[in-house]
Amino acid sequence: MPSSDSPHVLVLGAGYAGVHAARTAGDAGARVTLVDPTGQHDLAPRLAAVAAGRRPAGDAWAPLHALVDATLVRARAEAVDVDGPAVQLDDGRVLEADAVVVTIGAGPKLPPVPGLDARDAWTLRDAPDALRLRATLPDTDRLIIVGAGSTGVQLASEAALQHRQLDVHLVEASDRVLGQLDAPLGRRASTLLRKRGVCVHLQTTVDRVMPDGVVLCDGQQLDGVVVWATGVAADGHALLPDAPTSEGRLLVDRKLRVSGRVLAAGDVAATRDLLGRVTAQSAQIAVQSGRAAGRNAALIARGRLPRSVSLMDLGWVVDLGGRGVAQLGPLDVAAPLVDRFVPVLHEAVDLRHLWQTGGAAAVLGHATGRHEPTDAALRRAERPALRSVG
């Protein structure tokens, strides 16, 4: 158990990278402070099923105290001083530490489409998003999802499966769904979507977003609830205005350092794989980079040399509700019947995340269907999350 004399690591953000960084730094003997305005960890791979109503509302998040043994500061980070290192909070406090891990600075990618307002856009990035959609879909006639990556495809499939009355449209600018995966997986996902009644619009863009619908590039107008799911945008300069970035992501060295005793992990960091390629912004990379950053932050805080990090893309698992597609290294899982095992694999990955952060107690308390939040906790979760950046 770290003592008050232990080296101090400050972690900004409680997403997948943040909770793993905090857990790993604590396991390495550091005294950890976790800065997050919500006090909860959103379980991103579950959000589509929660939003559609197939999973209970309590599956969308877990309280941070159930996952990490750290001092929680409920505030928003506004700036990082790399010389301290120190972090300026929105409540006027300044927190100093021996090392800082930045895992915030990314949010939904919202392009300059007329009518698309970042303040009002429907997205699916956190528990409040999922709970808002969950409350709205039963009384909705049409759902229009823009973006056919994993989030958009999962939501379209889950919503069509759970709400038979719903006319679901999936709009994608490229020529196939799940463009980040091998083509056979995208074709299989398209087949499953269409069997569930989803209307898939490929090579189609949105010209304008209206308060209750969209106008497509071919002039077609679709009225309904619009969810924007076109990916993740990073803004590393929000907290570190002088740090080098690439497409908004903080450039880090092989040890995940931005500068000196400040490290970065997750979607905001331009981490690299074994071949030196910039990694995708995904939960699995966030977990790997968060764990590595936490370990290195603890080493730096002790005055020791950090270790080089090489991340590995282990594949993708896309649960479409009862079926799914997966890319496991060179292996594609998409054939009929075999695709029924994908949700099981998806559940195993989810449980592994809980085990690595909160151990057996987290698995027992927050496995699917196990978390029954109080009405007060639900009301808190339904409020729009105060994101530090993005």
Side-chain angles (χ1 to χ4, degrees), residues 146-173:
V146 183
S150 56
T151 298
V153 167
Q154 283 181 294
L155 179 59
S157 183
E158 293 277 12
L161 189 65
Q162 195 68 22
H163 299 280
R164 300 296 185 182
Q165 91 289 352
L166 200 57
D167 180 21
V168 181
H169 292 252
L170 183 62
V171 180
E172 170 57 37

Side-chain angles (χ1 to χ4, degrees), residues 244 250-260 262-264 269-272 296 300 306-311:
L250 293 166
L251 294 180
V252 294
D253 64 13
R254 283 293 190 180
K255 299 173 178 63
L256 302 187
R257 294 176 300 191
V258 177
S259 176
V262 176
L263 303 89
T271 51
R272 296 185 179 274
N296 277 348
I300 291 171
R307 304 171 188 171
S308 293
V309 176
S310 293
L311 306 178

Side-chain angles (χ1 to χ4, degrees), residues 12 35 37 75-80 87-90 104 238-239 388-389:
L12 307 183
V35 178
R76 185 174 60 187
E78 291 196 331
V80 176
V87 176
Q88 175 73 50
L89 304 181
D90 63 342
I104 52 176
L239 293 182
S388 296
V389 185

Side-chain angles (χ1 to χ4, degrees), residues 69-102:
D69 184 14
T71 299
L72 176 61
V73 174
R74 298 279 297 271
R76 185 174 60 187
E78 291 196 331
V80 176
D81 177 6
V82 298
D83 295 326
V87 176
Q88 175 73 50
L89 304 181
D90 63 342
D91 59 10
R93 285 180 289 175
V94 175
L95 301 182
E96 297 180 347
D98 298 300
V100 174
V101 181
V102 178

Side-chain angles (χ1 to χ4, degrees), residues 34-57:
L34 181 58
V35 178
D36 182 83
T38 69
Q40 68 187 37
H41 170 65
D42 297 311
L43 295 162
R46 302 177 176 184
L47 295 182
V50 172
R54 185 171 67 85
R55 286 191 170 196

